[in-house]
Amino acid sequence: MDDLTAAELITRKLTEGLSQQEREALDQHLAKSSTSRVFAQWSARIQDVIEFFRETDASAGEGPGLDPVTRLRLEKRLLEAMEAAGWDNPPANSDLPTGDLSSELTVGRKVAEDQPDYDANRSMGNDSNVKRQKNKSQDDAGETI
Amino acid sequence: MSASSPPPRPHSTAEGLEPRLWVERYGDQLYNYAISRLKSHEIAEEAVQDTFVTAVVSLESFKGNATEQTWLFSILKRKIIDVIRRDWKRKGKFTLYDEVNPESFLFSPDGTWRRNWFAPADCPIESRELWQIVQLCLKLLPSNQANVFVLRVLEEKSSAEICKELEISPSNLGIRLHRARLGLARCVAEKMKR
């Protein structure tokens, strides 16, 4: 076995695993080749750190976070999306019984429609960007929870 | 309200969702997650923005079985896969042979290492610092190697899923993963020598 073949086995071992025969051949090669051995050690170390930090909490907790300009831009875009989706029109009577979120939104829209300054385009989420995205978005979010 | 009515529930916290607070509460976390997997700040920001917009227009789909945070992360993960798929299709005309192959500079034609490229693997470095270097090196890999690496190793998608999403063969995926790992180890070891 040459170093190139050994490197292929080292990387494959981390993703798919090796057969018993491949493992033995690799071990024999590593005993002889110090560079292959160091490469195997680095690969394993990188894999270990990825396995720890790829978890959602760990990935989310490490990093620069949003810079102030990006934060403002996201807040603005979020508010626009909320407005377009009718979230700026909460039900006037929050004591109304609510079975689930969809019926609550329907109630909210009904209450809004009764207001003199009701803007159908705005309240029904007819903003073109939001509407365009809605079908796809429900695909993205629908199956997750 | 009659005596038999259910207790009142404020609209702003229906099903535990408070969209107005999402950027403040989860913006940093979502962004950190996205930037650890995507090539640039702009692409990561776009993925987070799309996540918020998708969540807002899909509020009906939130059943309250998971936390708001878990729900947003599940949407973001799909966005990241979408970004990678789009990027892949844009560059689809490139073949495996168009990509940088780290084997060509790491190995001699006879299959032996050209030299010892690597710093000792037991050199002391904190995991957090190593993770930062790995992320940096991941961004330096050719996109088509980084993309499969992110999907397979960071997002833990199965080989079958990736082959289907990206329309590549298992052997093609294996070669790209191998090259990505070689390039990554080479880059990390290089940074460690400095």
Side-chain angles (χ1 to χ4, degrees):
Chain A
M1 179 186 295
D2 61 17
D3 293 327
L4 180 56
T5 308
E8 286 169 1
L9 292 180
I10 289 165
T11 59
R12 186 149 59 81
K13 182 181 173 186
L14 295 168
T15 308
E16 298 167 24
L18 300 176
S19 68
Q20 179 70 24
Q21 191 179 1
E22 287 171 327
R23 273 202 308 274
E24 287 171 4
L26 179 59
D27 288 344
Q28 282 176 13
H29 179 82
L30 294 180
K32 292 183 294 187
S33 168
S34 61
T35 304
S36 293
R37 203 161 49 242
V38 178
F39 170 67
Q41 290 165 347
W42 267 117
S43 296
R45 202 166 171 193
I46 290 168
Q47 180 71 17
D48 285 346
V49 85
I50 286 173
E51 283 180 10
F52 178 79
F53 282 101
R54 74 185 169 195
E55 298 306 320
T56 302
D57 288 347
S59 284
E62 292 294 327
L66 295 168
D67 64 69
V69 175
T70 305
R71 183 180 299 278
L72 281 176
R73 200 160 42 227
L74 284 174
E75 282 174 346
K76 181 171 179 288
R77 187 69 191 94
L78 177 58
L79 287 174
E80 286 170 358
M82 287 172 62
E83 190 175 292
W87 267 77
D88 57 338
N89 292 306
N93 179 3
S94 61
D95 288 345
L96 286 170
T98 53
D100 58 32
L101 183 60
S102 56
S103 66
E104 188 164 280
L105 285 174
T106 306
V107 169
R109 285 175 185 151
K110 180 73 182 74
V111 171
E113 285 166 8
D114 293 339
Q115 303 307 307
D117 59 349
Y118 172 68
D119 177 343
N121 286 334
R122 201 173 111 188
S123 295
M124 294 305 288
N126 277 351
D127 172 270
S128 58
N129 288 331
V130 172
K131 193 173 183 182
R132 194 165 49 245
Q133 185 165 2
K134 184 151 187 166
N135 287 342
K136 182 175 186 321
S137 298
Q138 286 176 339
D139 287 344
D140 282 349
E143 296 169 12
T144 53
I145 302 297
Chain B
M1 184 171 62
S2 71
S4 61
S5 299
R9 185 172 55 182
H11 179 82
S12 61
T13 57
E15 304 296 348
L17 295 173
E18 295 185 277
R20 285 174 204 282
L21 300 176
W22 283 351
V23 175
E24 182 188 329
R25 283 183 177 169
Y26 312 117
D28 285 338
Q29 298 171 47
L30 291 165
Y31 175 78
N32 286 343
Y33 189 91
I35 195 66
S36 71
R37 283 142 171 86
L38 299 172
K39 276 277 180 187
S40 70
H41 161 76
E42 289 75 16
I43 298 171
E45 179 188 340
E46 190 181 338
V48 174
Q49 176 183 290
D50 286 353
T51 296
F52 287 142
V53 173
T54 295
V56 163
V57 300
S58 309
L59 288 169
E60 289 95 336
S61 72
F62 183 77
K63 307 298 183 198
N65 296 331
T67 64
E68 186 177 51
Q69 182 183 25
T70 302
W71 185 56
L72 290 171
F73 267 101
S74 68
I75 297 172
L76 175 63
K77 289 178 183 192
R78 284 177 189 233
K79 295 295 173 191
I80 288 171
I81 294 170
D82 283 348
V83 168
I84 289 175
R85 194 196 297 116
R86 280 202 305 270
D87 187 51
W88 189 273
K89 286 189 174 167
R90 255 200 310 273
K91 295 175 179 169
K93 60 186 176 183
F94 295 106
T95 70
L96 203 54
Y97 301 101
D98 293 322
E99 294 174 21
V100 175
N101 181 359
E103 287 177 356
S104 58
F105 59 85
L106 290 173
F107 296 93
S108 301
D110 65 358
T112 57
W113 294 100
R114 285 185 189 275
R115 63 181 174 86
N116 184 1
W117 299 95
F118 308 102
D122 58 355
C123 62
I125 180 172
E126 280 197 19
S127 295
R128 188 168 282 115
E129 192 183 347
L130 183 55
W131 171 238
Q132 287 169 358
I133 294 172
V134 168
Q135 287 181 79
L136 175 66
C137 288
L138 199 50
K139 288 172 177 45
L140 299 175
L141 290 179
S143 287
N144 288 355
Q145 291 169 23
N147 284 338
V148 295
F149 189 83
V150 167
L151 291 179
R152 185 71 182 91
V153 183
L154 276 90
E155 288 300 307
E156 298 181 84
K157 296 292 170 197
S158 70
S159 295
E161 280 178 285
I162 298 169
C163 290
K164 188 179 170 195
E165 286 280 356
L166 304 182
E167 298 173 356
I168 56 174
S169 67
S171 64
N172 191 309
L173 171 64
I175 291 170
R176 286 196 160 99
L177 275 174
H178 167 64
R179 290 180 180 177
R181 285 193 188 277
L182 267 182
L184 204 54
R186 168 79 185 93
C187 174
V188 169
E190 176 74 18
K191 304 269 178 227
M192 296 300 299
K193 277 185 173 174
R194 289 178 186 164

